[in-house]
Amino acid sequence: MRAGKIVLCLLLLVLATFVPVQAADIDRQGLVGIWCAGDDAERRDSFAAMLSQVESADEPTRQWVQSVLSAYREGDLFCTAETAFRPAGEAYENVLTGERVDALPADANAPFLNIPLRRALEPVSRAVTLVVSPEAAERLGAADGLSRSLGVVPPALIEELYATEPDARVRSALEQVLVGVWLASGDPADQQRAIAALAADPTRQNLTTLERFVDGAEGSLSPSVEAAADEALSKVKLTVQASDILTVLYHGLSYGSVLFLAALGLAVIFGLMGVINLAQAEFVMIGAYVTWFVQEALKVVAPDLLDAYIFIAIPFAFLGPALVGVLMEWGVVRHLYHRPLLTLLATWAVSLLLINIVRVSIGTQNLSFYTPEYLKSGFTVFSEFAITWTRLLSIFFAALALVGTLFVLYRTRFGLRVRATTQNRRMSGCVGVSTRRTDSMAFAFGSGLAGIAGLALSNIYNVNPTMGTSLIIDSFIVVVVGGVGSVLGTAVAALGIGELNAFIEPQYGAVASKVIVLLAVILFIQQKPNGLFPPKGRR
Amino acid sequence: MRRRSFLKAVGVSGAAMSAPGIILPAWSQDTVKVGCLFSSSGAMANIEGRLNYVVQMAAQEINRNGGVLGRQIEVVTTDPGSDWPLYGQQGRQLIQEERVAATFGCWTSASRKAVLPVVEENDSLLYYPLHFEGEENSANVVYMNSPPASSVLPALEYLMSDNGGKARRFYMLGSDYVWPRTINDQLKGYWQQEYGIEPDAWREQYVPVGHADFQSLVNDIKRFADESGEQPIVVLTVVGNSIPNFFQEYINQGISALDVPVLGLDVVEADLEGLDTEPLVGHLNCWAYLQNAPGERNQQFLDAWASYVNENDVPFRPDVSIDPMVSTYDGVHMWAMAAEKAGSFDVPEVRSAFPGISFACPSGYDIKLTADNNYVHRGVFIGSVNRNQGFDIVWQSPETTVPVPYSPYI
Amino acid sequence: MMTAFVHSISGEGPRDRAYLAVVMLLVLVVFAVPLLGLSPLASTPLGLDGYQVNLIGQVMAFALLALSLDLVWGYAGYLSLGHGLFFAIGGYLVGMHMIKLAYVGQSGVPTFLNYMGLSEFPFYWSGMEHFWVALLGALLLTALVSFVIGFLAFRSRVVGVYFAILSQAFVYVAMLIMSRNDTGFGGNNGITGFQSLFGVPLSAIESKVWLATASALVTLLTLILLRRLTRGPVGKLLVGVRDDEDRLRVLGYETLWLKIAVWCGSGLLAAIAGMLYVPQVQVASPQLLSPMLSIEIAVWVAIGGRGYLYGAIIGAILVNILKFWLTRFMPELWPFILSGAVLLVVVVLRNGLMDPGPTFRFLFESVRRQKVAGKGEGA
């Protein structure tokens, strides 16, 4: 009897431990049904309910939830009347039966998620990752995003996860999530923890949180908390301000590098031949188009190399416009060397021609550029100072162009000839420099540099036939300020104008910044009619 | 046809459009001319240029069914080159020299304002296919699209509702001209009067038309969003190529629609053509037609456009259709209906036939004109960017809305 | 080249005939437009309709604009890529005059002022309902602006390409400023909604005829006046400035004030052209200030030929008639034709249509030589 009772008890015990698991197990079909066809409120409730069940669910269920949820969030869950499919490699997997199909059924479509639903789903899916994922890096990513909003995720769950989290970085990320809970708790120890966490990550968002906390407390805080809050506040504020200034400087640098790239070729040509090439901006455009052609060609010929298309395109983006430049020099510019004002008009006509040739042959639409994974988004240096990869790339190209041009001009025979011709055309001719050839080569070189600018700009601006027109006046101004043909002068002028622009624009708007910069430049030319670095030699 | 092949040879396929204008005048007894005033060159070419072909397509449809009052429609195309005074000049040419019965044209308000005195002075008709700032009601313009009260406010109402995410802070970024400024003035009045929202909840910035570098401004939006706990949105009224440039920067700086959604009031499917829209999913727009509008009629329109593009080598995408295209298409049909009803091409008679004209628009609504004004009653769609460079429909009005040309919020 | 220019100034032979032909053409326009546009002749096949009259008027205003540029470019050697600035000053002021006129005796303001929250005209609109105020305002403002630009540029001896870019920068800045809505002139849309000028409604054929006639007449008078001026000592000095300014200074001439005076005079002419142009197109917008328009003015002059005055007129008439015609019949081809024409004229011809240059002269001469040779054989 006794043994029987024990057996029964054991059995019950086993059942007791077993039954709740069974009860908490997730009704997959029901869930998919609601996600596919439920109304907004039902869906939102289902997220919260599911979250409470996931913790206690068995491993396969957890994996199932995580995979289906992320497919759902990405818009990759394709619903039919009975079930739903998610992509699995080339094929699709039926999320209820696990069987695979090669193509989606005709009636399958991804349910639309509006912003509030996505806002509700986002934290839930992150919380699921935190609960389920064994990878610290994945959990860190999930925790990072949670600090913006907890949504329906119960704070208690986060506190529980925080308590059991082994990874220090994930813990500190979770602290950011818990800040709001801690501050509101009224417990000085929790508040201290929160303030420390806020001070550890001095972003503007945290600054706002701190300010609100201090303003809202109105003397109800314990003195130690208040002192800590004030100290943290001033520290965070200072850091945010410092990062703001760096941001502006960086924006100036990146805009300056765009200006520099656009103006460099112009400066070389102007310095050598006294010719202002109004078609220079169109060489920028051609460079961007060549880049696009390289990208399209790679898609067909070598899809594996597509990620590197930007670098593969460098020689083409240089040579394409350079070739057009040679043709233009040969056909138009060389006839006009002693009539610079007419060259202005002739090159304007060429620019009109180039724009329209591209317009009728390729079309007016913006070209679509593939952005490799490594160029997407960017990284935060500290506080609010963030750097985007595309801008960094343009700065890199500007630096490359600067170094390359200096090298060509000062370390090659071609450069020597260019400098000699720039300084004294007749004398150079006398000592055997073929000034004709030098002109032609230099024109090609300057055009090629513009092509590199086009390459660098293709991931920042839209690429279409008229993309150059917005650049041309700005780049002239840079050349004029920099001084005739001075590469360094061009760099300094571009940087200066870029910075000036970046400082004025947030304050007074884009129109005002352009106007102020131009007026400043006009006044500057009064003082230094030959630019920052006036040419030395005899002319 | 030799002329045509010559043009092809120099790579100017688009010019073929003007060929009928030269070849056909001999038929003028049996034809009636209508004019097109859309730029196929210059800054507006990319979005505006396609409307020329829509007029051709609609005219072809009508001609196939016997024309208007027994006459075939002959379309006269021009290219004002995105140069506003030239719109007026060429409008004058169309009306006085070509004696067109109606003109379809203009995208920007600036170009419409340049044509306005011309159509008024000659008592001609301009069918204007764009939504705009309102505050105008000329007897010589048929406003095919919605004034702000019915095109912008529904979208804002949605974004401010619980369903739309309860937006309470607004960053208004626009191109510096009348349309964005008027829209924003109306919005400010709307927020103050309807929601009691204080001016410190919004910020207003304007950029020159054609502005390309949005680095500082997108960063400013980030700041604005982090300065308060309430939900911010961007009300975007930049136009033309500034739109894709803005979104490119928005992607690059990593702001998602969950953080700060953008309500792009002039954003159409064509603006997304060059962009990777994956990171843009969820941003909104608001028009009287979206390509994903449900219904058989829209499918027919899309098929008709696709086959027109393929048959005529039109230099635009066959699979992209935008609101102004449909508005233009509606315009041609509604003009033909009015002329049929009036039994004449004379403008005063055609005009007096307007009230009661109703057309089965591809958007799915039966759009109509009433005696109140020259604004067409349209339905309203709110769209949300999807991954395929298009818009999913978030909301659509149950029926057509009554256009209110003059806003009560200014 | 030098001899060609000297020739033009001392003026005898074929140059004089070309000048007389242009004068005759303008005289013809002055008389023909009212005759064929208004009199009973208007309804005959010879008659001109409103559209044609308007077109002639616009082309005449452009001719005057080109003339003003030729004065500084063709004679003093300074290429301005910013003449749209003065053109726009005249245009905007006459536009303001017509707007104000439309609101005389009415309360309320145009919508673009409404948008700025204004319920009455700001002070700088006062008196604008009188034409002479607008005229005087336009002239004074143009004189002031051109003086400032001229003084700044010529004092620090900005020359050549620098001057061209600088003037372009000015017009670009002005366009940016005028495109702002808050500047108060309708922003990007510009100002429209004009009703009448001198009591004649703009929609009436009479106003078109008189505006066109006035444009032609002013152009004609300006041509004659400038011709006299440039053939006198002032013209010689200007050519001196163009060809070797340093030498002129060494000889003791103060060129600064001469240049400023000519520059301002040219600006005033451009402003008058603007005042004639805007009532004809019935819109004054920042497009008048677009760098593109300012470059196009230089294109007209380059095609017509610099330094002959009437060359500029021929260039403006040719290019604009071609433009009006082609953008209608072959809109796609126009940019190709324009750029092609500029390249042809600039690269192949030495000075536009006025001076075919060695290439063509060679052609002509070889033809003539053959003829002569042929004759010789025959004789």
Side-chain angles (χ1 to χ4, degrees):
Chain A
M1 268 312 269
R2 198 171 194 154
K5 256 185 185 172
I6 290 170
V7 169
L8 194 69
C9 276
L10 274 175
L11 206 70
L12 274 176
L13 205 72
V14 169
L15 270 178
T17 52
F18 210 74
V19 167
V21 172
Q22 284 292 350
D25 197 9
I26 286 166
D27 171 15
R28 297 184 181 188
Q29 187 150 18
L31 212 50
V32 167
I34 291 177
W35 287 357
C36 282
D39 67 26
D40 288 5
E42 279 174 344
R43 291 200 239 180
R44 217 169 304 153
D45 293 344
S46 78
F47 300 151
M50 177 205 64
L51 188 61
S52 66
Q53 291 163 337
V54 156
E55 258 193 296
S56 47
D58 56 1
E59 194 52 33
T61 309
R62 289 170 160 220
Q63 295 299 339
W64 181 86
V65 166
Q66 199 192 5
S67 63
V68 177
L69 199 62
S70 73
Y72 188 48
R73 193 183 58 163
E74 300 295 324
D76 278 335
L77 191 71
F78 300 94
C79 295
T80 61
E82 302 85 31
T83 179
F85 294 86
R86 72 181 181 89
E90 295 284 292
Y92 295 91
E93 186 190 286
N94 184 328
V95 298
L96 291 181
T97 62
E99 74 184 285
R100 297 204 167 199
V101 292
D102 284 339
L104 285 173
D107 63 335
N109 68 331
F112 173 70
L113 294 171
N114 64 17
I115 289 181
L117 268 179
R118 283 174 64 198
R119 285 214 188 100
L121 181 56
E122 189 77 21
V124 169
S125 108
R126 288 178 187 279
V128 167
T129 307
L130 275 174
V131 172
V132 174
S133 174
E135 300 285 330
E138 264 184 33
R139 291 202 304 276
L140 181 63
D144 266 342
L146 261 180
S147 61
R148 283 207 171 263
S149 157
L150 265 182
V152 294
V153 178
L157 173 66
I158 305 296
E159 280 190 281
E160 200 185 312
L161 288 168
Y162 175 66
T164 56
E165 176 59 51
D167 188 279
R169 283 180 310 157
V170 181
R171 272 175 72 88
S172 70
L174 285 174
E175 280 175 7
Q176 297 297 326
V177 184
L178 288 166
V179 158
V181 181
W182 288 343
L183 284 181
S185 70
D187 173 11
D190 274 353
Q191 287 177 338
Q192 291 276 19
R193 272 206 289 179
I195 290 166
L198 286 173
D201 184 18
T203 61
R204 179 168 283 105
Q205 210 188 358
N206 283 352
L207 178 64
T208 309
T209 314
L210 262 176
E211 276 174 342
R212 287 236 200 112
F213 174 65
V214 173
D215 290 349
E218 294 285 341
S220 65
L221 298 176
S222 72
S224 64
V225 172
E226 197 165 334
D230 284 344
E231 194 192 331
L233 191 60
S234 59
K235 186 193 149 208
V236 172
K237 201 178 253 169
L238 202 67
T239 318
V240 168
Q241 276 166 353
S243 74
D244 281 346
I245 292 172
L246 279 177
T247 303
V248 170
L249 284 173
Y250 177 72
H251 286 175
L253 176 66
S254 81
Y255 184 55
S257 69
V258 169
L259 288 179
F260 174 71
L261 279 167
L264 181 59
L266 199 64
V268 170
I269 295 172
F270 187 33
L272 180 66
M273 303 174 232
V275 164
I276 281 271
N277 179 12
L278 279 176
Q280 188 75 8
E282 276 57 52
F283 290 138
V284 174
M285 182 260 291
I286 292 174
Y289 271 79
V290 170
T291 309
W292 182 77
F293 277 119
V294 170
Q295 170 200 290
E296 295 300 299
L298 281 178
K299 274 184 189 164
V300 179
V301 181
D304 297 341
L305 293 174
L306 189 57
D307 264 352
Y309 82 92
I310 292 178
F311 300 98
I312 296 172
I314 292 178
F316 298 96
F318 183 88
L319 289 176
L323 194 68
V324 181
V326 168
L327 281 176
M328 177 178 163
E329 203 272 344
W330 175 80
V332 178
V333 177
R334 78 186 161 108
H335 302 286
L336 299 167
Y337 276 136
H338 301 293
R339 292 177 288 167
L341 294 179
L342 288 181
T343 323
L344 215 57
L345 292 183
T347 53
W348 173 80
V350 171
S351 90
L352 194 66
L353 194 66
L354 290 176
I355 290 176
N356 281 288
I357 287 175
V358 174
R359 180 171 69 88
V360 296
S361 58
I362 299 171
T364 49
Q365 71 280 7
N366 290 319
L367 294 187
S368 177
F369 280 87
Y370 163 77
T371 314
E373 230 18 77
Y374 58 83
L375 274 185
K376 282 184 178 159
S377 199
F379 61 97
T380 303
V381 181
F382 77 97
S383 185
E384 295 297 313
F385 180 31
I387 283 178
T388 53
W389 288 117
T390 48
R391 296 274 172 179
L392 200 60
L393 188 75
S394 78
I395 296 174
F396 165 74
F397 274 117
L400 193 73
L402 175 61
V403 173
T405 307
L406 286 177
F407 178 82
V408 167
L409 284 184
Y410 290 94
R411 288 282 179 276
T412 63
R413 287 203 79 77
F414 164 62
L416 187 66
R417 284 191 210 109
V418 170
R419 283 182 295 136
T421 314
T422 305
Q423 282 177 6
N424 194 328
R425 180 170 290 269
R426 276 191 197 166
M427 187 60 84
S428 312
C430 290
V431 297
V433 174
S434 164
T435 52
R436 273 288 317 121
R437 240 186 78 134
T438 308
D439 284 343
S440 172
M441 297 265 294
F443 203 92
F445 181 65
S447 308
L449 285 175
I452 297 293
L455 166 71
L457 296 189
S458 61
N459 270 291
I460 300 179
Y461 298 139
N462 298 131
V463 174
N464 56 47
T466 51
M467 71 178 284
T469 42
S470 63
L471 285 172
I472 190 77
I473 292 186
D474 290 333
S475 42
F476 284 149
I477 298 298
V478 168
V479 173
V480 169
V481 171
V484 177
S486 163
V487 174
L488 280 178
T490 307
V492 173
L495 202 61
I497 291 176
E499 294 291 354
L500 199 58
N501 218 72
F503 270 95
I504 299 171
E505 193 174 276
Q507 305 283 325
Y508 303 103
V511 180
S513 80
K514 272 201 147 74
V515 171
I516 294 173
V517 167
L518 282 172
L519 288 179
V521 165
I522 288 168
L523 288 178
F524 171 84
I525 295 175
Q526 295 310 307
Q527 294 307 311
K528 283 184 157 287
N530 289 321
L532 279 171
F533 298 86
K536 284 184 191 121
R538 286 159 173 267
R539 328 209 101 228
Chain B
M1 276 298 107
R2 273 186 64 191
R3 188 181 116 77
R4 183 166 240 172
S5 53
F6 161 66
L7 288 177
K8 280 263 168 67
V10 276
V12 196
S13 57
M17 287 169 46
S18 62
I22 296 168
I23 296 169
L24 296 180
W27 306 0
S28 58
Q29 287 303 326
D30 310 302
T31 62
V32 54
K33 286 183 183 178
V34 298
C36 274
L37 267 180
F38 298 109
S39 293
S40 31
S41 62
M44 303 300 295
N46 184 28
I47 44 178
E48 208 175 304
R50 62 190 84 205
L51 302 186
N52 280 317
Y53 299 93
V54 175
V55 175
Q56 301 268 350
M57 179 179 103
Q60 208 180 58
E61 264 174 32
I62 295 171
N63 287 344
R64 229 178 270 142
N65 296 325
V68 191
L69 295 173
R71 296 217 226 165
Q72 295 280 298
I73 302 177
E74 181 194 330
V75 181
V76 185
T77 314
T78 60
D79 178 17
S82 307
D83 171 1
W84 319 142
L86 205 53
Y87 281 80
Q89 177 60 36
Q90 303 203 333
R92 203 171 279 130
Q93 204 157 3
L94 286 174
I95 295 166
Q96 295 179 343
E97 292 296 282
E98 302 288 343
R99 311 234 160 252
V100 295
T103 308
F104 303 88
C106 305
W107 183 294
T108 61
S109 286
S111 58
R112 190 192 65 253
K113 292 270 187 207
V115 178
L116 198 59
V118 178
V119 286
E120 287 187 340
E121 143 191 342
N122 295 291
D123 195 21
S124 184
L125 282 176
L126 171 71
Y127 283 76
Y128 177 61
L130 258 285
H131 65 194
F132 71 115
E133 66 274 5
E135 314 291 316
E136 181 183 297
N137 186 24
S138 166
N140 296 95
V141 182
V142 182
Y143 304 92
M144 292 306 302
N145 220 313
S146 317
S150 38
S151 66
V152 176
L153 297 186
L156 268 170
E157 225 165 83
Y158 171 79
L159 276 167
M160 296 174 75
S161 71
D162 291 350
N163 259 341
K166 276 191 117 157
R168 283 298 177 274
R169 281 162 58 76
F170 308 93
Y171 195 103
M172 293 171 268
L173 178 61
S175 292
D176 191 1
Y177 75 104
V178 173
W179 178 68
R181 286 191 179 257
T182 316
I183 295 279
N184 289 340
D185 278 353
Q186 292 179 5
L187 291 183
K188 285 184 283 185
Y190 171 74
W191 292 324
Q192 262 170 333
Q193 288 173 33
E194 302 292 320
Y195 291 82
I197 291 175
E198 296 295 320
D200 61 0
W202 61 70
R203 193 176 295 172
E204 226 177 328
Q205 286 280 10
Y206 294 97
V207 295
V209 176
H211 189 69
D213 200 307
F214 285 94
Q215 189 176 218
S216 302
L217 287 163
V218 170
N219 190 58
D220 198 40
I221 290 172
K222 248 166 142 178
R223 281 176 83 137
F224 178 77
D226 286 345
E227 275 168 7
S228 160
E230 285 186 301
Q231 179 58 47
I233 60 166
V234 175
V235 180
L236 186 74
T237 44
V238 300
V239 295
N241 271 330
S242 294
I243 294 172
N245 276 319
F246 170 83
F247 278 124
Q248 186 71 56
E249 188 63 35
Y250 218 65
I251 297 171
N252 288 349
Q253 295 203 17
I255 311 180
S256 89
L258 292 188
D259 303 332
V260 192
V262 176
L263 171 61
L265 292 177
D266 202 39
V267 181
V268 289
E269 286 85 349
D271 288 313
L272 305 176
E273 271 171 18
L275 293 169
D276 168 20
T277 50
E278 181 88 51
L280 294 177
V281 170
H283 293 308
L284 299 155
N285 74 348
C286 181
W287 284 95
Y289 165 87
L290 290 175
Q291 186 168 351
N292 283 336
E296 191 56 31
R297 297 204 298 236
N298 187 30
Q299 203 47 53
Q300 277 167 9
F301 175 79
L302 292 173
D303 292 345
W305 172 247
S307 60
Y308 185 85
V309 167
N310 293 331
E311 279 162 26
N312 297 281
D313 269 347
V314 174
F316 290 100
R317 277 175 58 168
D319 55 347
V320 173
S321 162
I322 61 177
D323 175 310
M325 281 170 57
V326 171
S327 302
T328 307
Y329 176 82
D330 294 345
V332 179
H333 279 281
M334 288 183 89
W335 166 76
M337 290 167 106
E340 283 283 354
K341 188 176 161 196
S344 159
F345 294 114
D346 283 346
V347 171
E349 290 177 46
V350 172
R351 183 167 37 223
S352 60
F354 283 163
I357 293 261
S358 168
F359 176 65
C361 173
S363 64
Y365 296 95
D366 289 328
I367 62 175
K368 59 179 187 278
L369 274 164
T370 64
D372 295 339
N373 49 39
N374 276 352
Y375 283 77
V376 174
H377 292 233
R378 301 281 302 262
V380 182
F381 293 85
I382 299 176
S384 162
V385 177
N386 63 25
R387 290 195 293 180
N388 310 319
Q389 301 180 331
F391 291 90
D392 291 329
I393 292 164
V394 177
W395 177 88
Q396 71 178 97
S397 61
E399 49 199 307
T400 57
T401 53
V402 179
V404 186
Y406 294 91
S407 168
Y409 299 112
I410 286 194
Chain C
M1 198 141 152
M2 195 54 205
T3 51
F5 281 117
V6 170
H7 195 64
S8 80
I9 292 162
S10 56
E12 262 148 43
R15 302 278 171 221
D16 270 354
R17 262 177 273 144
Y19 166 71
L20 281 177
V22 172
V23 169
M24 290 312 291
L25 177 74
L26 291 175
V27 170
L28 185 74
V29 172
V30 169
F31 285 102
V33 166
L35 206 63
L36 299 178
L38 283 183
S39 75
L41 277 176
S43 47
T44 66
L46 268 178
L48 298 168
D49 63 20
Y51 171 76
Q52 290 156 335
V53 170
N54 184 270
L55 206 121
I56 294 172
Q58 284 185 47
V59 171
M60 285 298 133
F62 284 146
L64 181 60
L65 185 58
L67 207 51
S68 76
L69 182 69
D70 194 26
L71 182 63
V72 280
W73 187 21
Y75 287 88
Y78 284 83
L79 171 58
S80 159
L81 292 182
H83 252 48
L85 181 57
F86 310 123
F87 190 59
I89 291 177
Y92 265 97
L93 269 123
V94 78
M96 285 166 75
H97 163 64
M98 288 186 290
I99 287 277
K100 196 70 191 291
L101 212 55
Y103 280 82
V104 166
Q106 281 181 39
S107 62
V109 290
T111 30
F112 64 86
L113 289 174
N114 260 332
Y115 289 143
M116 295 172 63
L118 298 171
S119 54
E120 52 188 274
F121 285 100
F123 71 94
Y124 46 82
W125 285 76
S126 50
M128 275 296 169
E129 62 272 23
H130 307 294
F131 181 75
W132 63 269
V133 175
L135 178 66
L136 210 64
L139 296 183
L140 284 178
L141 188 61
T142 308
L144 182 73
V145 172
S146 58
F147 177 79
V148 169
I149 295 177
F151 185 75
L152 287 178
F154 298 137
R155 192 199 48 167
S156 40
R157 306 191 63 192
V158 177
V159 293
V161 180
Y162 272 98
F163 183 82
I165 297 299
L166 191 70
S167 59
Q168 175 111 83
F170 270 108
V171 82
Y172 182 62
V173 166
M175 182 180 76
L176 288 177
I177 292 174
M178 293 307 277
S179 300
R180 288 182 69 238
N181 216 57
D182 285 349
T183 310
F185 299 97
N188 199 43
N189 279 15
I191 48 183
T192 51
F194 311 142
Q195 305 284 327
S196 61
L197 190 65
F198 295 122
V200 186
L202 288 176
S203 53
I205 179 86
E206 285 82 5
S207 77
K208 293 182 201 307
V209 167
W210 294 128
L211 279 167
T213 312
S215 304
L217 190 63
V218 174
T219 309
L220 174 65
L221 294 178
T222 309
L223 174 63
I224 294 170
L225 182 87
L226 289 184
R227 168 95 168 171
R228 301 210 113 205
L229 189 77
T230 49
R231 283 158 69 98
V234 176
K236 293 220 161 59
L237 279 178
L238 282 177
V239 173
V241 167
R242 183 188 68 203
D243 292 342
D244 199 338
E245 189 175 348
D246 289 336
R247 192 173 294 175
L248 209 60
R249 288 161 70 95
V250 169
L251 286 171
Y253 287 97
E254 176 49 271
T255 54
L256 175 65
W257 294 105
L258 175 71
K259 286 190 289 184
I260 290 178
V262 168
W263 170 250
C264 289
S266 166
L268 289 175
L269 287 175
I272 293 172
M275 297 189 84
L276 290 164
Y277 174 74
V278 162
Q280 305 192 53
V281 292
Q282 300 187 33
V283 52
S285 77
Q287 209 82 34
L288 297 175
L289 293 159
S290 80
M292 175 87 178
L293 174 70
S294 288
I295 293 179
E296 267 184 51
I297 306 170
V299 166
W300 307 335
V301 178
I303 287 186
R306 292 152 295 137
Y308 299 102
L309 297 174
Y310 52 88
I313 293 178
I314 293 173
I317 292 176
L318 273 184
V319 176
N320 281 298
I321 286 184
L322 212 59
K323 179 175 180 176
F324 284 131
W325 186 66
L326 283 179
T327 47
R328 159 66 191 87
F329 289 109
M330 289 177 255
E332 295 285 331
L333 278 185
W334 167 243
F336 293 97
I337 291 174
L338 179 64
S339 50
V342 173
L343 285 177
L344 188 77
V345 166
V346 169
V347 175
V348 180
L349 309 185
R350 193 177 259 180
N351 183 15
L353 301 174
M354 285 304 107
D355 185 357
T359 321
F360 276 60
R361 202 175 297 144
F362 174 75
L363 277 179
F364 290 146
E365 270 166 19
S366 60
V367 171
R368 201 184 305 149
R369 223 174 289 134
Q370 276 175 1
K371 273 187 186 163
V372 170
K375 268 181 195 156
E377 268 174 21

